[in-house]
Amino acid sequence: MTQTLLKLAVFSAKPYDKKYLRLAKEQTQVAVDVVFYDFALGRKTISVVQGVDAVCAFVNDDLSAPILQALKEAGVRAVLMRCAGYNNVDLKAAKELGIFVANVPSYSPESVAEFTVALLQVLNRQIHRAYNRVREGNFSLHGLVGHTLHDKTVGLVGLGKIGFSVARILKGYGCRLLAYDPFPNKAFEEYGEFRSLEELLPECDIISLHCPLTEQTRHIINESTLKLIKKGALLINTSRGGLIHTKSVINALKRRELGGLAIDVYEAEGDLFYKDHSGEIIQDDQIMRLLTFPNVVVTGHQAFLTAEALNEIALTTFQNLNDFVMGKACPNSLIKE
Ligand code: NAD
């Protein structure tokens, strides 16, 4: 007798996702038939889930209440997020519908932390401009003066796994470290000091965001908090785009109050990131304005993208699926009793 295969639909699946998920699948005990879709899960694509048992989604897939309702009606019983953040999942609706949801809470925080420091240094030492100049045969150093990180004060907003990893790296650079986190981790005392957000912002030469996107943190960087930031400070965001009120940051850059911005995430990234729009007329005027500043560096949500992280994400995703199928208590379940 043939065993009924569980059907898993993977959305927003890029070649690197497929590679690592296929490798992880070989190591899992779950009899699963995996179908990959390169497009995102949303209103226009939901029809493909008919007869699917579980979906695997990423940061820009839509898992709002209406989509979860439609998933439930199609027979989907589990949502496997292959990321840490889950601000795009309506957990309350999932719980009411009895849909299992799990994430990958920790996968190589060093991947994101190291990328954060790389972005900071690209911005600080103007490597993005130097790279373009040299390719054009322009070896002038005019306007490329940066700063040492040594002795600079860095403020970490959110000191979880990634924030802490950034702290460890920057300690090596000789930075003075401050952090704001409503749930302070005492282990940080070896590295720096905690401050309230209002105290931290005026003290820092560099501010790096590492808190999750929640109702409390949405637009944590806004018109009024920007006024507290020291003139000329650099702002780095590798966490979630919604932490920054983009229009206010553009204005602060135009007024030359903010010294520079490096972002791997953008509040309206859902329609843009992970796709090639190079032959199109991009309609988003805010991202296009940001790209015109010499002191702004933008990357397309790639801080996680290392072989190590992809491997851990894939293995944990299948572990979560295994727990769900076996009816085991899943440590990564986001549905709290
Ligand atoms: P984590 O849960 O370990 O840490 C988050 C920290 O933020 C916690 O210490 C928490 O107490 C703190 N926090 C909660 N509310 C806060 C608030 N109002 N103000 C300040 N701090 C607050 O998470 P992590 O693994 O360090 O990841 C942090 C974030 O990084 C994720 O939520 C995700 O959005 C983002 N991320 C981005 C990428 C990328 O590729 N760019 C990859 C992974 C994670």
Side-chain angles (χ1 to χ4, degrees):
M1 203 175 69
T2 48
Q3 196 187 354
T4 320
L5 279 181
L6 195 79
K7 202 163 175 194
L8 172 69
V10 182
F11 287 88
S12 305
K14 303 298 174 207
Y16 45 82
D17 294 310
K18 292 181 194 170
K19 174 179 168 184
Y20 287 94
L21 285 166
R22 281 188 181 123
L23 286 171
K25 187 193 153 197
E26 282 168 22
Q27 295 173 45
T28 177
Q29 293 151 10
V30 192
V32 59
D33 179 17
V34 185
V35 51
F36 293 103
Y37 297 113
D38 60 0
F39 49 79
L41 173 61
R43 206 169 35 82
K44 290 187 190 147
T45 57
I46 187 92
S47 57
V48 301
V49 298
Q50 206 56 46
V52 163
D53 301 286
V55 298
C56 178
F58 198 51
V59 293
N60 291 324
D61 289 302
D62 180 355
L63 290 142
S64 58
I67 298 292
L68 288 166
Q69 177 70 43
L71 288 178
K72 173 83 182 178
E73 284 162 18
V76 172
R77 293 174 291 136
V79 171
L80 306 165
M81 299 302 294
R82 52 179 197 283
C83 49
Y86 47 86
N87 50 284
N88 50 335
V89 190
D90 189 328
L91 289 179
K92 188 166 167 282
K95 186 175 180 181
E96 280 164 16
L97 292 162
I99 298 178
F100 169 89
V101 184
N103 69 340
V104 183
S106 177
Y107 56 87
S108 181
E110 295 77 18
S111 295
V112 182
E114 290 173 17
F115 190 87
T116 303
V117 178
L119 263 192
L120 162 61
Q121 282 292 58
V122 167
L123 178 66
N124 170 41
R125 303 301 296 269
Q126 310 209 46
I127 295 167
H128 55 304
R129 299 183 64 209
Y131 176 81
N132 286 332
R133 272 190 200 184
V134 168
R135 284 173 68 89
E136 296 257 312
N138 176 358
F139 296 92
S140 159
L141 298 183
H142 180 73
L144 297 186
V145 177
H147 292 276
T148 60
L149 291 186
H150 185 80
D151 275 347
K152 296 297 176 300
T153 301
V154 181
L156 303 166
V157 178
L159 196 84
K161 291 174 287 295
I162 295 169
F164 214 111
S165 183
V166 172
R168 275 192 287 267
I169 298 170
L170 292 180
K171 180 92 177 153
Y173 274 84
C175 296
R176 173 176 171 250
L177 297 170
L178 300 177
Y180 163 65
D181 194 308
F183 306 98
N185 175 353
K186 268 189 97 56
F188 180 64
E189 284 167 13
E190 228 182 277
Y191 294 82
E193 293 169 25
F194 281 103
R195 293 277 192 278
S196 70
L197 186 64
E198 291 70 26
E199 288 167 340
L200 176 143
L201 295 178
E203 272 198 68
C204 294
D205 304 294
I206 294 145
I207 295 151
S208 192
L209 307 180
H210 300 290
C211 56
L213 178 61
T214 63
E215 274 171 36
Q216 291 75 40
T217 61
R218 182 173 296 282
H219 294 165
I220 195 167
I221 300 298
N222 54 43
E223 205 66 58
S224 51
T225 49
L226 278 161
K227 287 204 176 87
L228 299 175
I229 294 178
K230 189 195 273 191
K231 189 170 165 44
L234 305 181
L235 177 63
I236 318 295
N237 186 12
T238 58
S239 195
R240 281 292 178 269
L243 298 176
I244 290 181
H245 186 259
T246 310
K247 187 91 188 77
S248 304
V249 160
I250 289 172
N251 289 336
L253 287 162
K254 283 166 78 177
R255 292 193 299 264
R256 294 190 168 84
E257 285 166 13
L258 193 61
L261 174 76
I263 53 173
D264 184 48
V265 286
Y266 167 59
E267 59 178 332
E269 70 179 47
D271 291 335
L272 284 173
F273 284 15
Y274 301 124
K275 283 173 235 137
D276 179 0
H277 298 282
S278 54
E280 297 168 21
I281 308 293
I282 294 176
Q283 299 297 323
D284 184 328
D285 291 347
Q286 291 198 340
I287 192 86
M288 296 320 281
R289 180 66 180 104
L290 281 176
L291 294 175
T292 65
F293 290 98
N295 54 347
V296 170
V297 177
V298 180
T299 51
H301 207 142
Q302 74 169 89
F304 71 98
L305 198 65
T306 63
E308 291 78 5
L310 289 168
N311 188 38
E312 285 179 43
I313 290 169
L315 287 171
T316 308
T317 298
F318 277 104
Q319 190 56 53
N320 290 343
L321 180 63
N322 195 40
D323 287 350
F324 169 71
V325 172
M326 306 302 279
K328 285 197 215 159
C330 175
N332 303 324
S333 169
L334 295 169
I335 305 295
K336 303 293 169 225
E337 289 318 312

